[in-house]
Amino acid sequence: MDFDTARAKLIGSLAREITDKRVLSVMARVPRHVFIPPDVQVYAYEDRPLPIGGDQTISQPYIVALMTQYLELTGNEKVLEIGTGSGYQTAILAELARYIVSTERIAALAEKARVVLDILGYGNVEVHTAEETLGWKSGAPYDAIIATAGAPCVPDDLVAQLAVGGRMVIPVGSRDNQELVKVTRLKTGTHVEHLDMCRFVPLIGKGAWE
Ligand code: SAH
């Protein structure tokens, strides 16, 4: 099966559970195989995470779709992503929002992602090698934040970078199992919703895992 056919089939099966048509149509276009190492490209359109080097993984397409759907993007948002990894989720966000700031702890992954995003022509994205503090303070406030690695609790440093009315989707739990949590910043305090169970690699740093 060629990549285009395989991708169409994958999106067809995601459409049984994902209701946001914008998310589905973007995922039907963005070539996931371009973001992963050659030896795993044959699996690019199976609904599973895949190794991308440095002990990290590209997230499962269903999870990418689900988390993106929870962000409720309409096209005008400034979005922060923590954990660029392959850059695939970054590309999906870049198609659905105005501007994306993404940070990645592993410099080599950040560089690879930058190259792919550049080749695909995404001019509304900046990828940074992460600093010690979570997120990217100088770009704040953000209308939406997505963390693609799991934290032990909702990090205060990230809530502080959300605009009032902004929302963050983040996996929270133990190192091995987490729950997707959606945090909306209110004028005073936050509103927290508990969503689906999931499994992510750990978010590492101050305010997360050692
Ligand atoms: N969205 C990515 C997921 C990559 S896995 C994709 O689909 O390809 C999560 C990534 O988060 C890993 O690359 C890991 O290195 C990175 N990460 C972990 N802790 C981080 C931190 N504190 N800041 C930025 N990135 C971090």
Side-chain angles (χ1 to χ4, degrees):
M1 208 187 323
D2 64 66
F3 286 134
D4 288 347
T5 312
R7 185 165 61 248
K9 206 173 153 213
L10 169 67
I11 304 312
S13 75
L14 293 181
R16 278 183 238 132
E17 285 164 280
I18 301 296
T19 50
D20 187 330
K21 295 280 182 283
R22 289 183 76 226
V23 172
L24 290 169
S25 85
V26 159
M27 288 184 68
R29 270 201 322 267
V30 176
R32 188 172 185 251
H33 64 275
V34 173
F35 291 87
I36 57 183
D39 57 319
V40 291
Q41 278 183 1
V42 290
Y43 309 116
Y45 298 104
E46 290 184 12
D47 193 18
R48 56 157 156 145
L50 294 166
I52 55 170
D55 256 351
Q56 306 302 325
T57 53
I58 181 172
S59 305
Q60 179 190 350
Y62 170 69
I63 291 289
V64 171
L66 191 67
M67 291 179 86
T68 309
Q69 174 167 284
Y70 285 136
L71 291 178
E72 295 174 70
L73 301 172
T74 61
N76 210 16
E77 297 83 1
K78 183 175 190 184
V79 182
L80 170 68
E81 176 188 35
I82 298 104
T84 318
S86 66
Y88 175 69
Q89 170 83 70
T90 323
I92 302 296
L93 296 170
E95 295 271 355
L96 291 166
R98 177 174 53 83
Y99 198 79
I100 318 301
V101 177
S102 185
T103 70
E104 169 53 53
R105 229 185 107 243
I106 301 176
L109 287 178
E111 185 49 33
K112 259 194 217 163
R114 233 179 251 127
V115 170
V116 179
L117 291 164
D118 200 42
I119 290 171
L120 292 178
Y122 291 104
N124 59 338
V125 168
E126 50 185 83
V127 177
H128 299 281
T129 302
E131 297 175 327
E132 208 188 312
T133 322
L134 291 174
W136 198 256
K137 270 190 184 159
S138 61
Y142 300 98
D143 305 301
I145 299 181
I146 179 172
T148 64
C153 58
V154 176
D156 290 339
D157 277 331
L158 292 182
V159 175
Q161 291 172 53
L162 264 184
V164 172
R167 52 257 172 230
M168 163 160 65
V169 177
I170 181 169
V172 174
S174 70
R175 262 180 178 267
D176 295 324
N177 279 295
Q178 306 92 29
E179 187 177 31
L180 276 183
V181 170
K182 179 173 174 178
V183 181
T184 306
R185 184 162 185 184
L186 309 174
K187 265 191 201 138
T188 51
T190 55
H191 173 69
V192 178
E193 291 163 77
H194 296 264
L195 310 164
D196 317 68
M197 293 308 293
C198 56
R199 285 192 75 168
F200 278 81
V201 296
L203 182 72
I204 303 200
K206 222 170 73 198
W209 297 102
E210 289 300 303

